[in-house]
Amino acid sequence: MACIDNYSYNIILKGSFKECAKYIKDNYKSIRELQAGDEVIEGVMLIGKPPIPVAYEEDYIIFPYTKPCHGSYVLKVPLEEYIESETKNKKNKKEEENSDSKNKSIISKLKFW
């Protein structure tokens, strides 16, 4: 299982969970609201008070991430990172599954979209 440290990401904002959620709602248009415990990208679960806003913009996924004992952040993760990690995981599976995965769009790679 992966964790956020296995991805390249940018910290957009550090603050309370409420501030992070508000920032996403105020600054992004393509938003889905998820529940705590939902897996956003492989190995990365959401922590917080639902509904938790998760945005998609260009080739990035933006979401509030709470790291226990460190606080909450708004993270911007390039989908390219996620797609590369998925490709590595699928090498261990059948060739048929790999070819299906390559034909999907970026949005279909997201766990929640």
Side-chain angles (χ1 to χ4, degrees):
M1 179 177 261
C3 76
I4 196 65
D5 293 332
N6 293 341
Y7 295 94
S8 172
Y9 60 87
N10 293 322
I11 297 174
I12 297 174
L13 175 74
K14 181 182 183 340
S16 70
F17 180 81
K18 188 175 182 178
E19 291 169 335
C20 291
K22 183 177 178 353
Y23 177 86
I24 292 171
K25 289 177 183 177
D26 291 347
N27 292 288
Y28 297 96
K29 292 180 182 177
S30 293
I31 297 174
R32 295 282 172 123
E33 292 185 334
L34 302 179
Q35 299 298 311
D38 285 351
E39 188 175 28
V40 181
I41 52 179
E42 186 166 342
V44 179
M45 308 291 187
L46 293 173
I47 299 174
K49 183 178 176 188
I52 301 170
V54 178
Y56 169 76
E57 180 182 72
E58 297 171 3
D59 289 338
Y60 294 92
I61 180 173
I62 299 97
F63 58 95
Y65 184 75
T66 300
K67 196 166 191 176
C69 299
H70 294 278
S72 295
Y73 307 87
V74 174
L75 299 184
K76 186 175 185 178
V77 180
L79 288 176
E80 206 170 275
E81 290 280 324
Y82 170 66
I83 292 169
E84 287 174 13
S85 74
E86 274 293 290
T87 303
K88 288 177 189 175
N89 290 337
K90 290 192 178 198
K91 283 183 181 180
N92 297 331
K93 295 183 181 183
K94 298 177 187 176
E95 286 290 321
E96 188 176 305
E97 291 175 14
N98 282 336
S99 64
D100 289 344
S101 174
K102 290 177 185 174
N103 294 331
K104 292 181 180 179
S105 70
I106 288 176
I107 292 178
S108 68
K109 298 282 188 182
L110 296 175
K111 296 280 184 183
F112 63 90
W113 221 266

